[in-house]
C-alpha cells in the first residue's frame, strides 16, 4: 500500500510560523527550526505567482537557493537510519540537496536531461 498526503496551503508571513511548526508532516525536518523554515521559504512562488502567468508546474525552475548544514558533529551513515539523528545530519544524509547538485533556477530537463 502507498499512502500520500498532499498539503495545499496559502503560505504568507501571517501564518508562516504556524505552518512551519506543524509536527504532523514528516518533511521538512526540523519544521519549526531554521532549516525547515528555510526549506519552506525556498519553495515560495515555484508553481504559481500572481504577477507572472508563466510560473507553472510545466516551467518549474525548482526551489530558491537554500543554506543548510549538519547540526551534529561527525555525522555518519548510521545517523541516516535513525529519525532523531537524521534530522541533525541534513547534509550528510542528503535530506536536503546541496545547491551545487540541485542547481536552483534551471529547468529539470536542463539538469537531468529529461
Amino acid at each position: 500500500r502507498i499512502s500520500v498526503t498532499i498539503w495545499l496551503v496559502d503560505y504568507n508571513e501571517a501564518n508562516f510560523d504556524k505552518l512551519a511548526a506543524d509536527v504532523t508532516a514528516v518533511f521538512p525536518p526540523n519544521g519549526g527550526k531554521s532549516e525547515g523554515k528555510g526549506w519552506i521559504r525556498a519553495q515560495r512562488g515555484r508553481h504559481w505567482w500572481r504577477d507572472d502567468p508563466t510560473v507553472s508546474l510545466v516551467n518549474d525552475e525548482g526551489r530558491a537557493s537554500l543554506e543548510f548544514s549538519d547540526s551534529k558533529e561527525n555525522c555518519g551513515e548510521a545517523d541516516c537510519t535513525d529519525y532523531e539523528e537524521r534530522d541533525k545530519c541534513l547534509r550528510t544524509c542528503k535530506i536536503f540537496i546541496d545547491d551545487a547538485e540541485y542547481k536552483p533556477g534551471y529547468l529539470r530537463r536542463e539538469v537531468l536531461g529529461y
Side-chain angles (χ1 to χ4, degrees):
R1 292 185 177 169
I2 297 175
S3 177
V4 176
T5 302
I6 298 173
W7 294 84
L8 298 175
V9 297
D10 179 18
Y11 158 77
N12 56 59
E13 290 302 320
N15 66 12
F16 178 70
D17 286 334
K18 185 174 183 178
L19 292 172
D22 179 19
V23 295
T24 62
V26 176
F27 198 84
N30 299 323
K33 297 178 184 169
S34 63
E35 294 91 350
K37 285 183 175 183
W39 185 86
I40 293 170
R41 281 200 167 100
Q43 307 308 312
R44 185 175 21 201
R46 282 185 65 178
H47 305 127
W48 180 82
W49 197 264
R50 178 179 311 175
D51 299 326
D52 186 353
T54 66
V55 175
S56 69
L57 287 170
V58 173
N59 299 321
D60 181 21
E61 294 183 358
R63 64 161 168 75
S65 183
L66 175 64
E67 296 291 324
F68 63 94
S69 62
D70 291 343
S71 61
K72 174 184 168 183
E73 288 188 34
N74 301 319
C75 288
E77 192 174 318
D79 295 311
C80 299
T81 58
D82 180 316
Y83 285 112
E84 295 284 327
E85 297 303 308
R86 184 180 72 174
D87 284 356
K88 298 173 189 170
C89 301
L90 300 174
R91 184 172 297 279
T92 299
C93 298
K94 293 193 173 227
I95 303 303
F96 296 141
I97 300 172
D98 188 79
D99 284 352
E101 184 179 347
Y102 183 80
K103 299 181 179 154
Y106 289 89
L107 295 173
R108 178 184 182 99
R109 68 178 167 270
E110 293 173 319
V111 175
L112 301 175
Y114 59 90

